[in-house]
Amino acid sequence: MSIKKIPESTISRLFVYLRELSELSKLNIRTISSSELGERVNLNDAQVRKDLGYFGQFGISGSGYDINELKAALEKILGKDKTWNVAVIGAGHLGSALITYPGFQQHGLNVVTAFDADVKKIGKRFGGITIQPAGELPKAVKEKKIAIGIIAVPAKDAQEVANSLVKSGVECILNFAPTVLSVPENVKVNNVDLSRALETFSYFLVNPALSGRVNKAVSGKK
Amino acid sequence: MSIKKIPESTISRLFVYLRELSELSKLNIRTISSSELGERVNLNDAQVRKDLGYFGQFGISGSGYDINELKAALEKILGKDKTWNVAVIGAGHLGSALITYPGFQQHGLNVVTAFDADVKKIGKRFGGITIQPAGELPKAVKEKKIAIGIIAVPAKDAQEVANSLVKSGVECILNFAPTVLSVPENVKVNNVDLSRALETFSYFLVNPALSGRVNKAVSGKK
DNA sequence: GTATATTTGTGAAAAATTGCACAAAGTCTG
DNA sequence: CAGACTTTGTGCAATTTTTCACAAATATAC
Ligand SMILES: NC(=O)c1ccc[n+]([C@@H]2O[C@H](COP(=O)([O-])OP(=O)(O)OC[C@H]3O[C@@H](n4cnc5c(N)ncnc54)[C@H](O)[C@@H]3O)[C@@H](O)[C@H]2O)c1
Ligand SMILES: NC(=O)c1ccc[n+]([C@@H]2O[C@H](COP(=O)([O-])OP(=O)(O)OC[C@H]3O[C@@H](n4cnc5c(N)ncnc54)[C@H](O)[C@@H]3O)[C@@H](O)[C@H]2O)c1
């Protein structure tokens, strides 16, 4: 392992490899080559090897990677041997889906509290989690050792929530609100911009670079 | 406008600029410079100018960009003057949040149908949309001119749903299932990988490159 | 055991993206 | 209206990311 800078996109792909390796492991397959793995996740074989190469040597020339070994190595690298506590702020449509999603727990991410500003929501329960008043956040972050905050409030309230999280000491924020948050540089923000992910299609539909007949725009709007 | 290839990241940023311009327009601000706009969205000023430069010249030396003019130009470029019909497949926790989200409509993306394989879900209504049986999808895509499909089913069922969408002629798929989909190359898939977005934090928490006190891992798991 | 096949790990090349820096264009001040 | 600022648009440089390509290592066939 060197001091070279590791691209964030590499980290992101390691999770994809890991997921694939878990599937393969369940199927009792023992080894896989970088090209087979790459094919399964739509990536170049060299990309797979280079990504792994940032962290060491895991393969065997001529036969590839031992799936269980590589899986274990990636779990270690990615911190899967630890668990982290997560808070959801905003228990609306999206927030409540996130609170009850069992998949996060399987990955060592435990949603342990949720907050809302609306008195009608406070006290409600979603899958074992009771919604608390937003004002309780700073105290809860400390008491429950929250490492990650998920912002699922309307855009206009998102910065305020981010400030509160930062002030309480949370350094990882997953933001679902369609707005750009300002945070100190020690804080890591991941934006999940659903509208943008969907809107992007409208550009591709209007500029059909390649491809054939697509359903046409329904109207000229406005 | 040249024949130069436009980075997909540019398209993505244009939506961010547009969102910011809409806010500014509401505040009755008239003009903005690339550096001010860049600052608001955490980007370099040259980046802003270069992104816009792919599509033409919109600014005035010495004073910047007319907000309403640039907004209108971006809306045109991004296809915001059109509307598109969207189908949601999988009306579970996430799917139902997406079906009822009013923000998509504001961007010209109308969720007009939703499907589920579970008989208990069929016939249920979410904000004006009645859940239909999954088998109806091909017919509905044609009849309702669906241009975009949103996959919100469990990972194991996602490929099958993708196949069905593709076969019915849908060329844009937003995929929420944590799996890599195989589709023909004329089909555009955007993956929203929430688990990955959240899991990424665990790597950063384990490898605190910079920064100070973070809440520690809660346990050593497993 | 030798020859042939695979497949890794990694420099080096290629491609893509971002940032610099500056001429040209436009604004503002007095 | 002259001179001082401001800000755009863009070639070019720097950086980052991806891909190629090949020596070295291991496996397989006979
Ligand atoms: N639901 C979707 O499918 C969807 C899609 C794209 C983007 N989003 C974005 O995700 C965010 C949440 O969406 P949603 O549909 O769940 O909205 P929602 O209106 O259903 O829920 C938002 C919740 O946040 C709470 N809230 C408001 N201010 C708060 C504060 N300061 N502290 C704590 N709680 C507060 C509200 O009381 C409400 O319960 C929004 O920013 C939205 O734009 C949602
Ligand atoms: N809910 C979350 O917060 C969350 C977070 C991360 C990822 N995801 C992913 O998003 C997807 C949906 O999650 P969810 O929580 O809404 O799941 P869910 O179980 O609540 O809903 C899934 C729905 O899909 C339906 N379905 C199954 N097979 C189908 C088919 N072939 N055709 C049509 N419908 C079908 C099921 O009947 C169910 O109603 C999953 O892949 C999940 O891993 C969800």
Side-chain angles (χ1 to χ4, degrees), chain B residues 91-151:
Chain B
H93 292 98
L94 196 56
S96 59
L98 295 168
I99 294 167
T100 57
Y101 183 60
F104 296 143
Q105 179 128 230
Q106 287 159 25
H107 288 286
L109 300 160
N110 300 323
V111 175
V112 294
T113 12
F115 303 90
D116 205 292
D118 183 348
V119 288
K120 279 173 284 174
K121 293 260 167 68
I122 295 165
K124 275 199 176 181
R125 292 178 67 87
F126 293 96
I129 304 291
T130 306
I131 308 307
Q132 295 194 256
E136 297 288 306
L137 193 144
K139 195 161 62 114
V141 165
K142 267 142 217 162
E143 280 175 7
K144 304 213 169 175
K145 295 196 198 317
I146 303 295
I148 301 170
I150 298 182
I151 297 182

Side-chain angles (χ1 to χ4, degrees), chain A residues 12 19 81 146 196 202 215 220, chain B residues 12 81 146 193 196 215 220:
Chain A
S12 185
R19 191 139 72 201
D81 51 345
I146 303 295
R196 193 174 5 149
S202 82
N215 275 326
Chain B
S12 185
D81 52 343
I146 303 295
D193 197 332
R196 190 171 11 146
N215 275 325

